[in-house]
Amino acid sequence: MKTTYLCSCLALLFLFSSCSIEEEEQTFDLSQKLVAHYAFDGNTKDASNYQVDASAEGATLIHDRFANPKQAYYFDGIDDKIEIPASEHINFATEFTINIWIKTDATHLQQVLYKNVFDEQEAKAAYGISLGYTPKDELQKATNDIIFSIAPYGIEQELRKFDYTEETWYMVTCILKDDIMYLYINGKPAVLKYIDGELATSALPLILGNDPSGKNPFQGSIDDLRMYSEAKSLDFIEYLYKQ
């Protein structure tokens, strides 16, 4: 009887201890290797230590993903854009992380983010994020893609995640590390691709909401752009998604 009673007490004690011990959530320093941060919380100021402020041309403040007013920027799909001055710290060559929140109400081909590869050659994005897909002929089915592109040695490489939903916020994370491109959607891995070559960028600004041609304007909302000079881990990306 005493042995049974003792075992029962020990079992209850273990159960209580197990229930009372909470696993601590892993935390990260969001400023580590941060080279640009545009929170768009009422303005286009850079919250990183570099303080390279952007300028809005036509884009207007709107509510963010939490429904807070004037905490994101809306682009009309015609000629709106935000320009970030060219800076050496965003001229990535071999490694980076770009994280941005987007919501669109259109499905045609549109540029979210664009950084030129060369000044005088054919326009290609050293790195860029775009949406949509325009079929080349009537036999091809149009899909609503989220596209991460880079151009090592001027050769364009793409990763695509199919079928985004209009009027829905997405956190898009693009990473380059050790000749591998990674695309994450809402904190989860989507697709990866092996590439070859370093990136080369220009002294032209980084553009949000269009490309230099002006032919692929973005229609929708953009919020909280973060750029890091290193490739972040999956745990970091999942943590960032919860913020």
Side-chain angles (χ1 to χ4, degrees), residues 77-128:
I78 301 174
D79 56 5
D80 292 351
K81 64 180 179 179
I82 289 177
E83 286 196 359
I84 300 171
S87 302
E88 188 62 30
H89 57 276
I90 61 172
N91 279 349
F92 307 116
T94 59
E95 183 174 343
F96 65 78
T97 299
I98 299 173
N99 194 87
I100 192 170
W101 282 88
I102 58 175
K103 180 181 73 169
T104 183
D105 46 19
T107 57
H108 57 267
L109 184 61
Q110 49 187 326
Q111 195 75 41
V112 176
L113 180 150
Y114 191 100
K115 184 70 170 76
N116 277 72
V117 59
F118 292 117
D119 289 347
E120 299 177 356
Q121 297 188 16
E122 180 183 358
K124 293 180 181 178
Y127 54 86

Side-chain angles (χ1 to χ4, degrees), residues 46-192:
D46 179 10
S48 78
N49 290 333
Y50 290 89
Q51 298 182 353
V52 179
D53 296 341
S55 59
E57 299 181 20
T60 55
L61 288 165
I62 196 172
H63 54 273
D64 64 10
R65 63 190 183 278
F66 303 115
N68 298 316
K70 297 184 177 182
Q71 297 292 298
Y73 272 92
Y74 180 79
F75 299 74
D76 64 6
I78 301 174
D79 56 5
D80 292 351
K81 64 180 179 179
I82 289 177
E83 286 196 359
I84 300 171
S87 302
E88 188 62 30
H89 57 276
I90 61 172
N91 279 349
F92 307 116
T94 59
E95 183 174 343
F96 65 78
T97 299
I98 299 173
N99 194 87
I100 192 170
W101 282 88
I102 58 175
K103 180 181 73 169
T104 183
D105 46 19
T107 57
H108 57 267
L109 184 61
Q110 49 187 326
Q111 195 75 41
V112 176
L113 180 150
Y114 191 100
K115 184 70 170 76
N116 277 72
V117 59
F118 292 117
D119 289 347
E120 299 177 356
Q121 297 188 16
E122 180 183 358
K124 293 180 181 178
Y127 54 86
I129 300 171
S130 54
L131 298 176
Y133 172 60
T134 304
K136 295 180 180 180
D137 55 55
E138 295 181 356
L139 298 178
Q140 290 183 310
K141 180 182 177 182
T143 57
N144 302 336
D145 301 354
I146 297 174
I147 307 164
F148 168 34
S149 61
I150 63 173
Y153 299 144
I155 301 172
E156 190 169 26
Q157 304 282 351
E158 290 186 345
L159 288 180
R160 293 173 177 261
K161 172 63 176 176
F162 299 104
D163 296 328
Y164 66 80
T165 303
E166 296 172 62
E167 297 292 346
T168 301
W169 281 103
Y170 290 94
M171 190 183 86
V172 179
T173 310
C174 303
I175 294 177
L176 176 64
K177 180 178 175 61
D178 297 332
D179 291 332
I180 305 177
M181 299 169 64
Y182 300 86
L183 176 62
Y184 297 78
I185 306 296
N186 292 340
K188 300 297 181 183
V191 63
L192 62 82

Side-chain angles (χ1 to χ4, degrees), residues 212-233:
S213 73
K215 296 180 180 179
N216 299 298
F218 174 68
Q219 183 175 325
S221 302
I222 294 178
D223 192 19
D224 201 21
L225 169 63
R226 297 172 183 263
M227 305 177 74
Y228 294 90
S229 60
E230 68 177 7
K232 293 297 187 180
S233 67

Side-chain angles (χ1 to χ4, degrees), residues 19-35:
C19 293
S20 61
I21 297 176
E22 296 181 359
E23 184 177 351
E24 293 185 4
E25 182 180 359
Q26 189 174 8
T27 59
F28 294 88
D29 179 3
L30 297 182
S31 65
Q32 182 69 33
K33 297 292 185 177
L34 181 70
V35 294

